[in-house]
Amino acid sequence: MIVGHIRNLENEKYRFPESIKKALHFLKEQNLSKLNDGKYEIDGEKIFAMVSSYMSKERSECRAETHRKYIDVQFIAEGEELMGYCALNPVLEIEEDCAEERDAIFYKALIPESDIILSQGMYAVIYPHDVHRPCCFLEQPQRVKKIVIKVSIDTLEK
């Protein structure tokens, strides 16, 4: 997982492949406050954005997950949230495998679990080996507007 802030994109973008740069530039170039909830194509099904507004939740209500087909670029447009994180490892127990239908594998627990706080303007690039628990609140529930850009693994340079 790589975490950054959109205002520093010009200094941080060197570390990303072109497809992830394209996703981050979408965030930089949009008037994010005017994007309604829904799906936005950037490059067909290879790169697309999903905008959602929600109330952050108690950690126990949020599921830990990974993805196989897509890299997530999760961006906080409004509010803040806590995200649990750990690297994929053999001690993690799968709770539900929805990889075929939803490109998601859910885990019973993150071992060990580290906390990452994402506030307005911050992004996290989440790879298939990054187990993450998004949407958690820090101290109390709050409204969050998040853009999750899905970048197909197939778009990465080999």
Side-chain angles (χ1 to χ4, degrees):
M1 179 183 294
I2 300 172
V3 177
H5 198 286
I6 200 71
R7 74 171 165 252
N8 300 324
L9 182 58
E10 290 307 309
N11 295 325
E12 296 171 352
K13 69 181 183 181
Y14 72 90
R15 65 176 98 179
F16 298 115
E18 287 305 314
S19 56
I20 294 177
K21 286 180 190 175
K22 190 172 190 175
L24 290 166
H25 280 288
F26 172 86
L27 296 169
K28 184 98 171 159
E29 295 165 2
Q30 296 296 313
N31 183 344
L32 302 173
S33 64
K34 296 204 181 215
L35 286 181
N36 293 321
D37 287 7
K39 183 176 178 180
Y40 296 83
E41 286 191 11
I42 299 169
D43 187 5
E45 288 299 305
K46 292 179 182 177
I47 306 172
F48 59 91
M50 296 183 306
V51 178
S52 59
S53 301
Y54 55 88
M55 292 298 289
S56 54
K57 301 180 259 185
E58 177 79 39
R59 183 188 307 257
S60 63
E61 298 176 43
C62 302
R63 297 175 82 185
E65 61 187 46
T66 57
H67 310 289
R68 289 189 182 149
K69 298 175 188 171
Y70 289 94
I71 293 165
D72 275 3
V73 177
Q74 296 198 12
F75 177 78
I76 304 296
E78 296 173 14
E80 67 180 1
E81 73 176 39
L82 181 135
M83 180 181 294
Y85 164 81
C86 81
L88 189 61
N89 66 70
V91 301
L92 297 177
E93 190 176 343
I94 293 175
E95 179 179 56
E96 184 179 9
D97 187 340
C98 302
E100 290 304 313
E101 317 85 67
R102 297 176 34 208
D103 189 36
I105 300 170
F106 297 101
Y107 299 86
K108 291 185 177 181
L110 295 175
I111 304 168
E113 184 164 4
S114 298
D115 291 341
I116 297 168
I117 297 171
L118 296 174
S119 56
Q120 187 170 332
M122 293 182 72
Y123 63 85
V125 179
I126 303 167
Y127 293 92
H129 56 269
D130 295 322
V131 188
H132 56 289
R133 181 193 312 272
C135 306
C136 306
F137 66 70
L138 281 77
E139 295 175 10
Q140 62 185 11
Q142 68 171 274
R143 182 177 157 9
V144 176
K145 183 173 186 178
K146 182 191 280 186
I147 294 97
V148 176
I149 302 180
K150 296 291 197 173
V151 178
S152 174
I153 293 294
D154 297 339
T155 65
L156 299 180
E157 296 94 21
K158 304 279 184 214

mmCIF file of all heavy atoms in Angstrom, residues 36-38 50-54 143-148:
data_model
loop_
_atom_site.group_PDB
_atom_site.id
_atom_site.type_symbol
_atom_site.label_atom_id
_atom_site.label_comp_id
_atom_site.label_asym_id
_atom_site.label_seq_id
_atom_site.Cartn_x
_atom_site.Cartn_y
_atom_site.Cartn_z
ATOM 1 N N ASN A 36 -21.438 13.132 -8.602
ATOM 2 C CA ASN A 36 -22.491 12.420 -7.895
ATOM 3 C C ASN A 36 -22.073 10.975 -7.670
ATOM 4 O O ASN A 36 -21.208 10.452 -8.389
ATOM 5 C CB ASN A 36 -23.795 12.456 -8.695
ATOM 6 C CG ASN A 36 -24.356 13.860 -8.787
ATOM 7 O OD1 ASN A 36 -24.312 14.620 -7.825
ATOM 8 N ND2 ASN A 36 -24.870 14.213 -9.954
ATOM 9 N N ASP A 37 -22.687 10.331 -6.702
ATOM 10 C CA ASP A 37 -22.428 8.909 -6.473
ATOM 11 C C ASP A 37 -22.723 8.142 -7.751
ATOM 12 O O ASP A 37 -23.700 8.428 -8.445
ATOM 13 C CB ASP A 37 -23.294 8.373 -5.333
ATOM 14 C CG ASP A 37 -22.828 8.854 -3.971
ATOM 15 O OD1 ASP A 37 -21.921 9.701 -3.902
ATOM 16 O OD2 ASP A 37 -23.378 8.369 -2.965
ATOM 17 N N GLY A 38 -21.853 7.190 -8.052
ATOM 18 C CA GLY A 38 -22.044 6.381 -9.248
ATOM 19 C C GLY A 38 -20.720 5.983 -9.865
ATOM 20 O O GLY A 38 -19.645 6.215 -9.296
ATOM 21 N N MET A 50 -15.559 4.766 -8.930
ATOM 22 C CA MET A 50 -16.837 4.609 -8.245
ATOM 23 C C MET A 50 -16.882 5.634 -7.114
ATOM 24 O O MET A 50 -16.014 5.625 -6.241
ATOM 25 C CB MET A 50 -16.989 3.189 -7.716
ATOM 26 C CG MET A 50 -17.036 2.159 -8.833
ATOM 27 S SD MET A 50 -17.310 0.469 -8.266
ATOM 28 C CE MET A 50 -16.023 0.255 -7.069
ATOM 29 N N VAL A 51 -17.861 6.518 -7.182
ATOM 30 C CA VAL A 51 -18.027 7.558 -6.177
ATOM 31 C C VAL A 51 -19.125 7.118 -5.219
ATOM 32 O O VAL A 51 -20.184 6.671 -5.655
ATOM 33 C CB VAL A 51 -18.410 8.904 -6.843
ATOM 34 C CG1 VAL A 51 -18.626 9.990 -5.797
ATOM 35 C CG2 VAL A 51 -17.341 9.327 -7.854
ATOM 36 N N SER A 52 -18.850 7.214 -3.927
ATOM 37 C CA SER A 52 -19.870 6.850 -2.942
ATOM 38 C C SER A 52 -19.788 7.777 -1.734
ATOM 39 O O SER A 52 -18.712 8.229 -1.356
ATOM 40 C CB SER A 52 -19.733 5.387 -2.511
ATOM 41 O OG SER A 52 -18.466 5.158 -1.954
ATOM 42 N N SER A 53 -20.949 8.044 -1.165
ATOM 43 C CA SER A 53 -21.062 8.833 0.060
ATOM 44 C C SER A 53 -21.688 7.929 1.107
ATOM 45 O O SER A 53 -22.651 7.218 0.815
ATOM 46 C CB SER A 53 -21.950 10.052 -0.175
ATOM 47 O OG SER A 53 -21.405 10.862 -1.199
ATOM 48 N N TYR A 54 -21.149 7.948 2.318
ATOM 49 C CA TYR A 54 -21.630 7.052 3.369
ATOM 50 C C TYR A 54 -21.211 7.580 4.728
ATOM 51 O O TYR A 54 -20.391 8.499 4.824
ATOM 52 C CB TYR A 54 -21.076 5.632 3.165
ATOM 53 C CG TYR A 54 -19.577 5.576 3.080
ATOM 54 C CD1 TYR A 54 -18.794 5.447 4.222
ATOM 55 C CD2 TYR A 54 -18.928 5.675 1.847
ATOM 56 C CE1 TYR A 54 -17.424 5.413 4.152
ATOM 57 C CE2 TYR A 54 -17.546 5.642 1.773
ATOM 58 C CZ TYR A 54 -16.795 5.508 2.920
ATOM 59 O OH TYR A 54 -15.428 5.490 2.844
ATOM 60 N N ARG A 143 -19.801 11.609 7.900
ATOM 61 C CA ARG A 143 -20.061 11.487 6.469
ATOM 62 C C ARG A 143 -18.737 11.510 5.723
ATOM 63 O O ARG A 143 -17.885 12.360 5.967
ATOM 64 C CB ARG A 143 -20.956 12.632 6.010
ATOM 65 C CG ARG A 143 -21.336 12.567 4.546
ATOM 66 C CD ARG A 143 -22.281 13.694 4.189
ATOM 67 N NE ARG A 143 -22.434 14.166 2.862
ATOM 68 C CZ ARG A 143 -21.973 13.691 1.724
ATOM 69 N NH1 ARG A 143 -21.257 12.643 1.707
ATOM 70 N NH2 ARG A 143 -22.220 14.251 0.562
ATOM 71 N N VAL A 144 -18.607 10.562 4.805
ATOM 72 C CA VAL A 144 -17.405 10.450 3.977
ATOM 73 C C VAL A 144 -17.844 10.395 2.521
ATOM 74 O O VAL A 144 -18.821 9.731 2.189
ATOM 75 C CB VAL A 144 -16.605 9.165 4.317
ATOM 76 C CG1 VAL A 144 -15.407 8.990 3.391
ATOM 77 C CG2 VAL A 144 -16.152 9.168 5.768
ATOM 78 N N LYS A 145 -17.130 11.112 1.686
ATOM 79 C CA LYS A 145 -17.298 10.973 0.233
ATOM 80 C C LYS A 145 -15.979 10.417 -0.279
ATOM 81 O O LYS A 145 -14.925 11.016 -0.066
ATOM 82 C CB LYS A 145 -17.622 12.299 -0.432
ATOM 83 C CG LYS A 145 -17.860 12.161 -1.930
ATOM 84 C CD LYS A 145 -18.348 13.459 -2.542
ATOM 85 C CE LYS A 145 -18.705 13.260 -3.995
ATOM 86 N NZ LYS A 145 -19.227 14.514 -4.578
ATOM 87 N N LYS A 146 -16.068 9.247 -0.904
ATOM 88 C CA LYS A 146 -14.862 8.556 -1.355
ATOM 89 C C LYS A 146 -14.979 8.222 -2.836
ATOM 90 O O LYS A 146 -16.057 7.871 -3.308
ATOM 91 C CB LYS A 146 -14.670 7.265 -0.560
ATOM 92 C CG LYS A 146 -13.387 6.512 -0.940
ATOM 93 C CD LYS A 146 -13.338 5.115 -0.359
ATOM 94 C CE LYS A 146 -12.910 5.124 1.082
ATOM 95 N NZ LYS A 146 -12.731 3.752 1.610
ATOM 96 N N ILE A 147 -13.862 8.342 -3.511
ATOM 97 C CA ILE A 147 -13.761 7.879 -4.893
ATOM 98 C C ILE A 147 -12.805 6.698 -4.880
ATOM 99 O O ILE A 147 -11.666 6.815 -4.409
ATOM 100 C CB ILE A 147 -13.244 8.973 -5.843
ATOM 101 C CG1 ILE A 147 -14.256 10.123 -5.954
ATOM 102 C CG2 ILE A 147 -13.016 8.399 -7.240
ATOM 103 C CD1 ILE A 147 -13.996 11.258 -5.090
ATOM 104 N N VAL A 148 -13.284 5.549 -5.341
ATOM 105 C CA VAL A 148 -12.435 4.364 -5.480
ATOM 106 C C VAL A 148 -12.248 4.141 -6.976
ATOM 107 O O VAL A 148 -13.225 3.923 -7.697
ATOM 108 C CB VAL A 148 -13.060 3.115 -4.831
ATOM 109 C CG1 VAL A 148 -12.179 1.889 -5.083
ATOM 110 C CG2 VAL A 148 -13.264 3.327 -3.343
#
